[in-house]
Amino acid sequence: MTTGPPVPPASYWPDGGSTRPATSKPPGWAVGIMSAAAVVALIGGTVLATRDAGSGTPVAQPPPEVELPVSPPSEGPSARPSLEPSSSAPEETSEETPEASPSATATSTFAPVADVPEVCDLLPESLTSRLAPKSSSAPGVAKDGYGAKRKDCRWDQKGYHMAGGYNLSRSINVKVNAFQDHDNALEDADFMWDSMRDFSGQTREDPYNTKYGEIKELSGLGDSAYMIYSEHTVRHTSTAWIYVVRGNVTLDIRFIGADNKGREILSDENSRPVPEAEMLKGVEEIAKEVVKGLSG
């Protein structure tokens, strides 16, 4: 029985678990697995279809759609011998230089990171108490895998922060991933940025119920960085998301907020979203402190 390739955790997506658009490319760690799965599926597809004909229980979920080349690359001249006599004239050869992938020539001026630090130590309390009042930190559930060492930390609200009849709920989520080299980190970041570009300026109806702002490029955080704002149109929560590549490291930083009417901890239809400018300013400040902590 074949299975589909592993899927990134739900927290990778800015709308908390929506399906990645088919136009986005898979990350580096998934390419090999998806290629092997495709070969197995081609060989065993007929057998599985015959074996399970008439059965109401599917064998496996269909694999995600990926773009495939129109035709396979050439593997050189045909092995079939020619019956024509050889000519003394030299054969014309075509010298084509294979097109290099962007990551093949990618370079970074940032020193590689061998081990991921404790992420909860990267943000000072003076910042978290101001941007996420009444919050406390706790390590997340990220585990090493998919070609990287991974750690994360969450700062979640543990009490009421009332103002004008609303509980101003704010939380911070920071993930740090250290890859083998810059090329792999860049490929991981490209996958995330492609998602941002697909979502940019869009409104996704039920069941996603999410409205996105425009993607924005940032400078001064690493080799490259982008951010985007989103708002849940039913629960009225707001999320500002930054993804950074810096040497062999990627940073996934999210600032989440909602103003909940009364003494409500969870957002609902009576909540109000936090304005985009406030959320983007906050997440950028968080990102700068994370980078500062990594550099120190």
Side-chain angles (χ1 to χ4, degrees):
M1 181 179 296
T2 60
T3 59
V7 177
S11 61
Y12 262 41
W13 309 105
D15 53 12
S18 66
T19 303
R20 175 174 64 84
T23 55
S24 298
K25 63 183 179 182
W29 52 260
V31 173
I33 297 174
M34 292 173 71
S35 299
V39 172
V40 175
L42 286 172
I43 297 173
T46 304
V47 176
L48 288 174
T50 304
R51 177 182 174 182
D52 295 300
S55 171
T57 304
V59 176
Q61 293 297 323
E65 295 181 8
V66 293
E67 273 192 22
L68 298 176
V70 176
S71 59
S74 172
E75 296 181 358
S78 171
R80 179 179 298 178
S82 172
L83 299 179
E84 299 294 330
S86 60
S87 172
S88 59
E91 295 183 0
E92 294 185 2
T93 58
S94 174
E95 295 183 1
E96 295 184 0
T97 302
E99 184 178 353
S101 63
S103 62
T105 57
T107 58
S108 174
T109 59
F110 298 100
V113 173
D115 294 303
V116 180
E118 293 301 324
V119 180
C120 292
D121 296 335
L122 296 178
L123 296 182
E125 186 178 355
S126 58
L127 180 140
T128 58
S129 61
R130 176 168 53 83
L131 293 181
K134 306 292 185 180
S135 67
S136 62
S137 64
V141 297
K143 302 293 183 184
D144 293 350
Y146 303 123
K149 296 179 179 179
R150 305 173 186 271
K151 288 184 181 178
D152 64 332
C153 186
R154 293 184 60 91
W155 287 260
D156 289 322
Q157 186 182 35
K158 300 300 181 182
Y160 296 103
H161 180 60
M162 303 298 298
Y166 285 84
N167 175 30
L168 309 186
S169 175
R170 305 288 186 273
S171 62
I172 300 169
N173 191 357
V174 177
K175 298 179 182 179
V176 180
N177 312 306
F179 291 82
Q180 183 178 2
D181 52 38
H182 175 62
D183 289 349
N184 286 292
L186 182 58
E187 190 169 15
D188 174 78
D190 277 337
F191 175 67
M192 296 300 177
W193 295 334
D194 280 348
S195 294
M196 287 188 181
R197 294 183 187 103
D198 289 336
F199 294 138
S200 180
Q202 303 295 314
T203 298
R204 305 186 73 190
E205 304 298 338
D206 186 72
Y208 308 107
N209 300 314
T210 305
K211 179 180 179 181
Y212 296 89
E214 298 292 336
I215 185 174
K216 294 177 172 60
E217 185 172 10
L218 299 170
S219 60
L221 295 175
D223 297 295
S224 294
Y226 291 88
M227 69 178 177
I228 194 169
Y229 169 88
S230 63
E231 174 189 322
H232 197 280
T233 57
V234 175
R235 299 196 307 268
H236 303 298
T237 55
S238 303
T239 301
W241 179 29
I242 286 182
Y243 211 87
V244 181
V245 62
R246 181 183 175 90
N248 68 318
V249 170
T250 60
L251 309 175
D252 185 338
I253 302 167
R254 304 180 194 229
F255 185 34
I256 304 161
D259 295 345
N260 301 326
K261 191 172 183 179
R263 297 177 67 83
E264 291 291 334
I265 295 293
L266 301 178
S267 60
D268 56 25
E269 67 276 6
N270 296 318
S271 301
R272 63 187 183 191
V274 184
E276 179 175 356
E278 179 181 338
M279 295 298 291
L280 293 181
K281 179 180 178 181
V283 75
E284 188 172 1
E285 189 173 353
I286 294 166
K288 289 178 180 178
E289 285 293 339
V290 171
V291 168
K292 182 178 176 181
L294 285 175
S295 305

